[in-house]
Amino acid sequence: MTNIILCGGSGTRLWPISRTLMPKQFVKLFDDKSLFQLTVQRNSKLCKSSFIVSNSEQYFLALDQLEELKKTNNKYLLEPVGRNTAPAIALACMQLDYDEIVLVTPSDHLIKDEKEYEKVLKKAKEFAKDNKLVTFGITPTFAETGFGYIEASLVNGDSSLVNGMDVVNFHEKPSLDIANEYLETNNKYTNNQSTSYYMWNSGMFCFKAGVFLDELEKYSPVRYEKSKIAFENATNTNNLIRIKHEDMANIPEDSIDYAVMEKSNIVKVIPSNISWSDVGSFDSLYEELPKDENNNTINDNHIAIDSKNNLVYGSERKIATVDIEDLIIIDSGDA
């Protein structure tokens, strides 16, 4: 497998930790490693190579961080302007053999259960070899309104979640009431009272490069043609592909979900209980960081007196809290 790592995005919800020139995927949040580095480490155990899609600024960040991991033999595709995930994945797939199985992952997600992750990837690979487009659904633990959802149904009457499910529909971020309805439907499913099951959309995919391009050409022909022109006009030296600005700007912007996954009839979803987080908000960051006995995030520069349940982030100055609770305190040096 080849791991296509999508590095776009500026993680604006985590400002001022995450900036345009230092987005969250490159910030060293966990064990002095960035989410990007953790992604590379995790997937390099299961994939033979990495193919990194980024913009020019992020390219140098990626190079430096990969050097720290001593992983230097990678392919890169540089986008002069972002056009969302469908063109990014298409351009990378055009560089690969038709039958090459690719694992498409964002660079800024955290996955803690790597044993389970390995299991679901093996299952995904089987489906991909059978010319399916595979997506990974995260079993929801609460009514989250910040994620898209995948609605799935039984495969040939098989009610065991581990064997993958047929995708019925993709749903945009729901209201709280609808998210609660999804959870109720899941409860009915586990009690054999429903054939539908709802999962968070993880934004990870697995398929043959050529099968994905066939489906893109079928359901989004203009996007496919413009991507092909951009790829053919690109410069390619030493595993570094640079797309020309004008060619990239001509590709209609769209996500892989809208352009292909929602229209294709060869999509499977694998329920994935892999301790996943997109670390997309301070709430989710707080959940993942280690905490002291008073549920304050552990920070050598934090002096806590009668304080509890605080997210305290800062590495340069002392931060003192007296009788403070339930606050997010961020000191990035200049903000």
Side-chain angles (χ1 to χ4, degrees), residues 44-107:
S44 62
K45 296 169 195 167
L46 305 158
C47 299
K48 71 169 195 277
S49 60
S50 299
F51 196 156
I52 291 138
V53 182
S54 79
N55 61 37
S56 300
E57 293 85 12
Q58 292 170 356
Y59 167 60
F60 294 105
L61 291 170
L63 271 183
D64 288 347
Q65 294 201 351
L66 286 165
E67 211 164 276
E68 285 176 23
L69 298 178
K70 303 200 168 24
K71 293 190 185 296
T72 51
N73 190 22
N74 308 289
K75 284 194 180 95
Y76 297 89
L77 187 137
L78 300 194
E79 299 178 304
V81 56
R83 308 307 285 154
N84 213 320
T85 52
I89 296 165
L91 289 164
C93 285
M94 284 172 182
Q95 174 66 16
L96 301 169
D97 291 342
Y98 186 98
D99 286 325
E100 177 66 21
I101 292 174
V102 298
L103 172 67
V104 180
T105 62
S107 57

Side-chain angles (χ1 to χ4, degrees), residues 147-263:
F147 299 148
Y149 283 71
I150 299 167
E151 182 185 350
S153 71
L154 303 176
V155 175
N156 302 326
D158 180 0
S159 62
S160 65
L161 295 175
V162 290
N163 288 326
M165 306 176 80
D166 289 322
V167 172
V168 177
N169 218 331
F170 286 79
H171 297 277
E172 286 303 294
K173 296 171 185 176
S175 66
L176 186 58
D177 288 346
I178 289 173
N180 277 313
E181 280 175 29
Y182 291 166
L183 288 188
E184 281 171 32
T185 303
N186 286 0
N187 289 334
K188 287 177 186 170
Y189 179 91
T190 51
N191 294 317
N192 296 320
Q193 295 168 334
S194 169
T195 56
S196 283
Y197 195 78
Y198 290 88
M199 288 164 273
W200 293 334
N201 186 350
S202 69
M204 300 190 302
F205 307 94
C206 183
F207 36 68
K208 286 180 184 173
V211 171
F212 170 72
L213 291 173
D214 287 347
E215 293 295 281
L216 182 68
E217 186 176 18
K218 183 174 175 183
Y219 295 109
S220 195
V222 174
R223 199 164 283 105
Y224 172 81
E225 286 303 328
K226 296 288 185 187
S227 297
K228 199 168 177 218
I229 291 164
F231 179 75
E232 286 168 355
N233 289 342
T235 59
N236 186 347
T237 49
N238 299 329
N239 286 333
L240 174 60
I241 301 163
R242 288 181 187 271
I243 308 294
K244 291 180 176 163
H245 191 284
E246 188 184 343
D247 290 335
M248 195 78 203
N250 284 337
I251 305 172
E253 189 172 351
D254 211 352
S255 70
I256 180 176
D257 290 338
Y258 278 131
V260 175
M261 304 304 275
E262 291 184 10
K263 301 179 177 86

Side-chain angles (χ1 to χ4, degrees), residues 29-43:
L29 293 170
F30 303 102
D31 298 327
D32 200 35
K33 285 200 174 70
S34 69
L35 291 165
F36 170 72
Q37 287 176 313
L38 292 172
T39 300
V40 171
Q41 275 188 329
R42 178 169 60 246
N43 291 330

